[in-house]
Amino acid sequence: MPTVNTTEAPQQTETIALTRGVPAPEVLPGVDIAACLAAALEDDPVGVLQYGHPSGYAPLRKLLAGLYGVEDGQIFVTNGSLQLMDLLAAHLVRPGDSVLVERPSYDRAIGAYKRRGARVVGIPLQPDGIDLDRLEAEVQRQVPAFLYLIPDFQNPAGITLSLEKRRRLLDLAARYGFWVVEDVPYRLLRYEGQPVPTLRELDHPGAARVLTMSSHSKLVAPALRVGHLVGPAALVAALARLGEDTYLSPVLPTQATIYEFLRQGRLEPNVEHLKATYAPRCRAMIEAVRRHLPGVPFAPPEGGFFLGLTLPPEANTDGLLERAAAAGLLLTDGRAFFAPADAPDGAGAGERFVRLPFCALTPQQIDEGVRRLAVAVS
Amino acid sequence: MPTVNTTEAPQQTETIALTRGVPAPEVLPGVDIAACLAAALEDDPVGVLQYGHPSGYAPLRKLLAGLYGVEDGQIFVTNGSLQLMDLLAAHLVRPGDSVLVERPSYDRAIGAYKRRGARVVGIPLQPDGIDLDRLEAEVQRQVPAFLYLIPDFQNPAGITLSLEKRRRLLDLAARYGFWVVEDVPYRLLRYEGQPVPTLRELDHPGAARVLTMSSHSKLVAPALRVGHLVGPAALVAALARLGEDTYLSPVLPTQATIYEFLRQGRLEPNVEHLKATYAPRCRAMIEAVRRHLPGVPFAPPEGGFFLGLTLPPEANTDGLLERAAAAGLLLTDGRAFFAPADAPDGAGAGERFVRLPFCALTPQQIDEGVRRLAVAVS
């Protein structure tokens, strides 16, 4: 394993990982989590430990329903967001169906939808979010099973969907009749600017087309694996049946831990602590890219985990991952984020796209990492 | 929800559930579990909370590997046994493949294998375990992707596979070349008699055909959802890749809890406590069946959670579930445990089979439940 030192200035020989979007280890709230599980076990030992409802831990569902202003039956909680995407696609995708995603999008989501038989199509992402003209053209060719997008601080590009585009997108969804799955795991981690309403908040009453999903991996701890979806009760019931067939009931002690974390009011101070930790790292990443890769355009992220950029055509990207690794810099292959394009437009398949996660690195490591990237592509 | 009172004598109006094999709520070790998670979080906060290895929590894998006498790479730990069956079938079953099970067998296992495309075939179960002549005849027709069986205190029949049949079964597996998946979640809960060696312990060195799977749902608590498999390292690696594609990484805090539970030596006293609680209930079930259903043959279970019986042809089983429910007795439909038969042999499709779980009921409730069953079928 490469050593990643998060407390001191990077040494020349230290490998720097700009690969996965992982939380900083020093902000994982182990003591709080132990206290929350202990409290849950004291209050509700049988509910936390016995076989449970396949829709998830009832008190957590009720609490989330209250936060979203929906019925308990509209909340599905499962073993993390990827499991949720897998079940959602298993339920919604029929043979021949397409699923639309932003281009680039979260690589594992693309894989999950493909494995459930979808033809996954990527719609170009612009600095203010998905290209709606291209989206409409694709929807006119074939109405998809659903559109999956990450409206806030997108993975991998760091982009936020503008308010105007959110409204137009919902008009399209209502007009053509397709589900919009908004995945908002980073939403609360805003370091700059003002929040834009969620698609759910903007959705047409009476013609609701939004399914909202999120997770506490980035807000509390990843290994708890607590992902949730808000949607119509019939859809939630169908997902629960699929979940029951697959894993009987979800893991409940970690759901009960999140329940206590929320109920005890620990989320807000934890998020404040995360923002205080991550905001300087986000700024450091923006500054490092401006310093070491001057002239390369990118949309400065206002929150989340990632800055994404597309290197200019003259950049040397041949064997980039291997050359970077040899120089002590680990990168993810940009092509993994690019689903097949909606149209031949010469944008490439992500060879020049680089995702730069910043949360688990110090500002010094970030600067050194981007410096090594600049050297590698020069 | 029907009220199930586990502390006092049953009232005439109390509904008695002889449906699922659930642990008694009063033996769920909530305090121990809170202590174990707290210890794990103190020792290894990042390992327990950060994204982890898709094969499971490394210290637990190492500990289990030591118990089984295998390499760490031969242990796969996932979110419960049913998830494990789902991934195993996804990996091993190819179009056209068969999977063989005992008839009757665990209903959810049958469903999981079917959903992954297997033609599931049931081989008759005898009082000393699966009918090996029928098994061999079926294997000669088509070598299956695997044979799944529950050798100890079988679900749903309570039967244990004899030593002689275990040896003959392994000879068959070696001769015809198929995997034998032994699922042993009840094995440590023996209330009478002497343990028979596992198939793994008896397997041919150099021609190993056994995959062993188990869980801590019945030994610690179900909602922890910690199931594991022991098999060749290449198979484990393939399951881990499928798991990573499906849920990224398994839920780790509950795996770490089981690790501490085992490491701190809490399992053995917990199992002793479970046996002390469950053994009288097992005896009560055997006695109740002899008392209220005299002449109905059954194999008295020596451990586990279930007694299974097949009612005589003259029993009134028309609309049994509904009539029993009206009389305050909840039963599971016996047909769910019967995969399509290997041959037309007139044994029926489980209409007359009844599974009687006894662990979560008092002796009084057990007696009253079987009395109601006897009335309903008379």
Side-chain angles (χ1 to χ4, degrees), chain A residues 162-182:
Chain A
S162 71
L163 178 60
E164 186 216 333
K165 279 196 168 177
R166 289 179 194 230
R167 294 193 195 280
R168 279 184 57 207
L169 171 60
L170 292 167
D171 290 343
L172 286 179
R175 188 169 345 136
Y176 293 97
F178 59 89
W179 291 114
V180 178
V181 179
E182 67 169 344

Side-chain angles (χ1 to χ4, degrees), chain A residues 22-23 30 34 37 41 48-51 82-83 108 115 218 222-223 225 244-249 251-254, chain B residues 23 30 34 37 41 48-51 82-83 108 115 218 222-223 225 244-249 251-254:
Chain A
V22 297
L37 180 66
L41 282 170
V48 175
L49 294 177
Q50 189 61 281
Y51 290 109
L82 190 60
Q83 178 71 75
R108 293 184 187 275
R115 271 189 304 281
K218 304 300 193 278
R225 314 301 304 122
E244 184 173 12
D245 286 345
T246 308
Y247 49 68
L248 200 50
S249 66
V251 182
L252 297 184
T254 50
Chain B
L37 180 66
L41 283 169
V48 175
L49 294 176
Q50 190 62 282
Y51 290 109
L82 190 60
Q83 178 71 76
R108 293 183 187 277
R115 271 189 304 281
K218 303 300 192 279
R225 316 299 305 123
E244 183 173 14
D245 286 344
T246 307
Y247 50 69
L248 201 50
S249 66
V251 183
L252 298 183
T254 49

